[in-house]
Amino acid sequence: MSSQLEQFASDNSSGICPEALEYMIRANQGSVPAYGNDEWTQKATDYFRELFEIDCEVFFTFNGTAANSLSLAALCQSYHSVICHETSHIETDECGAPEFASNGSKLLLAQGKNGKLTSEAIETIVTKRTDIHYPKPKVISITQSTELGTLYSIEELLSIKEVANKHNLKVHMDGARFSNAVAAMNKSPAEITWKAGVDVLCFCGTKNGMALGEAILFFNKTLAEDFDYRCKQAGQLASKMRFISAPWLGLLETGAWLKNARYANQCAEYLENQLLNIEGVDLMFPREANAVFVKLPEEVIHSLKAKNWQFYTFIGVGGVRFMCSWNTTQSRIDELISDIKNATIDKN
């Protein structure tokens, strides 16, 4: 590899954290039953139930697109629709997989400040049309933390659930950075999921220090009927399931899932503070987890790319996302800040 320096494009760029790797190595000893009929998988699923304080159904997939798409498909018929924010990952970054998995369930897009759905926006979409020619709303999908790095408060979640109950809708949570949300809010996982009205959570392990692997938690167990068959049909039933579930157990048993998230959030806070000290750098959205969105002059963006810095600019011209992870270092942040400062001086 020509360069293995830390980057800020995504927490997917980081490697495997020590706890996840250690448990994967332990699981590599000897032979165990396949397809999830092993002790590692049983222990991991039981730990999820303990952590979330509920007897939920737990399934594992390889990645987040599959987790989101299959769980939404379990909540919808093909003639139903899913209400989501216009910046949601299921709308912008999953290549139509939710529609594909559900045989055509339509995504209905809503706007909302800082990447968040509101109960008012949901109400407007649900009541827009009720005739048979329009796909019937069936699910509300929210992301915690959002694609813009913000957080739904418990009050906001309860408000959304109130609308969901009113219109008989299910609530799906894309938890790509759920660990970061728990760490930032200082609330229990239960408080910001099923106790606040969430029916299904897709809990990401990949961005929190695993090589791969997502956990799908059905808090409403009746919704999970035949979901194992759905995973199998979609090619998401791992034959050597222990290599997904054991790293999960490593994160959960050791507390690394929360430690990693807290650290990533702290790094993002440090990065934010350093960026705000640079003239001409403006924050785009409130930093509430491990993502920092800023507006940078085009000349500065080009200068950073010329120095091989990796980051995303998908929000729009001048919009840059810097993402911190479990293994971000302050020294690397300082290098980034130095290059931004120098590019700003050169511009002026």
Side-chain angles (χ1 to χ4, degrees):
M1 300 294 289
S2 60
S3 175
Q4 293 178 321
L5 295 173
E6 297 165 43
Q7 294 290 348
F8 296 90
S10 174
D11 31 15
N12 287 323
S13 301
S14 61
I16 307 173
C17 72
E19 295 85 355
L21 185 59
E22 170 62 24
Y23 274 62
M24 183 181 287
I25 293 172
R26 291 186 197 178
N28 196 39
Q29 307 303 310
S31 298
V32 302
Y35 300 106
N37 297 308
D38 61 275
E39 185 178 6
W40 294 100
T41 302
Q42 184 61 56
K43 284 184 176 180
T45 54
D46 286 344
Y47 209 105
F48 275 115
R49 296 177 182 118
E50 180 181 339
L51 179 65
F52 282 84
E53 307 168 46
I54 190 173
D55 182 22
C56 54
E57 292 286 0
V58 182
F59 302 88
F60 298 102
T61 60
F62 293 105
N63 56 52
T65 294
N68 284 332
S69 302
L70 296 178
S71 57
L72 288 171
L75 305 179
C76 286
Q77 295 293 334
S78 58
Y79 48 84
H80 287 146
S81 57
V82 177
I83 299 170
C84 60
H85 194 275
E86 61 183 355
T87 63
S88 67
H89 202 270
I90 61 173
E91 162 62 13
T92 63
D93 289 283
E94 293 186 347
C95 197
E99 296 94 326
F100 178 80
S102 62
N103 293 313
S105 295
K106 185 177 178 62
L107 301 184
L108 301 180
L109 308 183
Q111 296 181 339
K113 186 178 180 181
N114 295 329
K116 293 192 284 186
L117 284 177
T118 64
S119 55
E120 293 80 10
I122 296 168
E123 181 78 30
T124 297
I125 289 179
V126 174
T127 57
K128 179 181 178 180
R129 285 177 60 177
T130 58
D131 58 276
I132 200 169
H133 304 288
Y134 198 71
K136 184 179 181 180
K138 194 66 175 180
V139 181
I140 300 168
S141 180
I142 56 179
T143 311
Q144 184 79 307
S145 58
T146 73
E147 284 74 15
L148 302 185
T150 55
L151 298 168
Y152 285 94
S153 68
I154 290 179
E155 291 72 25
E156 288 171 323
L157 293 173
L158 290 173
S159 179
I160 288 172
K161 183 58 178 178
E162 186 176 345
V163 176
N165 288 340
K166 178 180 177 181
H167 297 285
N168 193 29
L169 305 174
K170 303 303 180 186
V171 179
H172 161 266
M173 179 175 281
D174 178 347
R177 295 179 177 91
F178 180 76
S179 299
N180 302 92
V182 174
M185 297 175 71
N186 198 29
K187 300 292 183 182
S188 73
E191 286 179 287
I192 61 173
T193 53
W194 64 271
K195 289 185 178 181
V198 175
D199 295 295
V200 181
L201 167 69
C202 295
F203 192 166
C204 177
T206 310
K207 294 177 174 62
N208 193 235
M210 288 173 53
L212 76 168
E214 317 291 306
I216 306 172
L217 281 62
F218 284 84
F219 304 115
N220 182 342
K221 295 177 68 172
T222 61
L223 299 175
E225 182 178 1
D226 291 339
F227 192 76
D228 48 349
Y229 287 86
R230 191 179 293 276
C231 290
K232 173 62 178 178
Q233 186 183 62
Q236 291 293 319
L237 177 63
S239 56
K240 296 185 178 181
M241 183 72 77
R242 68 189 185 277
F243 293 115
I244 295 179
S245 57
W248 261 120
L249 189 63
L251 291 181
L252 298 174
E253 272 194 345
T254 65
W257 72 278
L258 196 54
K259 178 195 71 175
N260 289 347
R262 284 192 179 123
Y263 178 74
N265 291 356
Q266 290 166 3
C267 287
E269 182 180 15
Y270 176 77
L271 173 58
E272 174 193 29
N273 291 334
Q274 298 303 307
L275 286 167
L276 290 177
N277 288 327
I278 304 175
E279 185 178 352
V281 176
D282 297 313
L283 199 66
M284 296 179 68
F285 313 106
R287 187 220 51 86
E288 296 180 340
N290 62 322
V292 183
F293 290 83
V294 291
K295 288 184 179 179
L296 294 179
E298 280 298 305
E299 297 91 337
V300 175
I301 292 176
H302 293 316
S303 175
L304 292 177
K305 288 185 175 179
K307 293 182 178 180
N308 297 318
W309 286 103
Q310 298 171 15
F311 48 85
Y312 285 116
T313 56
F314 54 84
I315 297 300
V317 177
V320 172
R321 185 190 79 174
F322 295 119
M323 186 70 70
C324 295
S325 65
W326 70 269
N327 64 348
T328 298
T329 61
Q330 183 175 322
S331 61
R332 188 61 172 160
I333 293 176
D334 290 341
E335 288 181 40
L336 174 63
I337 293 298
S338 177
D339 282 347
I340 293 175
K341 286 180 177 178
N342 291 335
T344 302
I345 293 172
D346 293 341
K347 170 183 173 292
N348 294 330

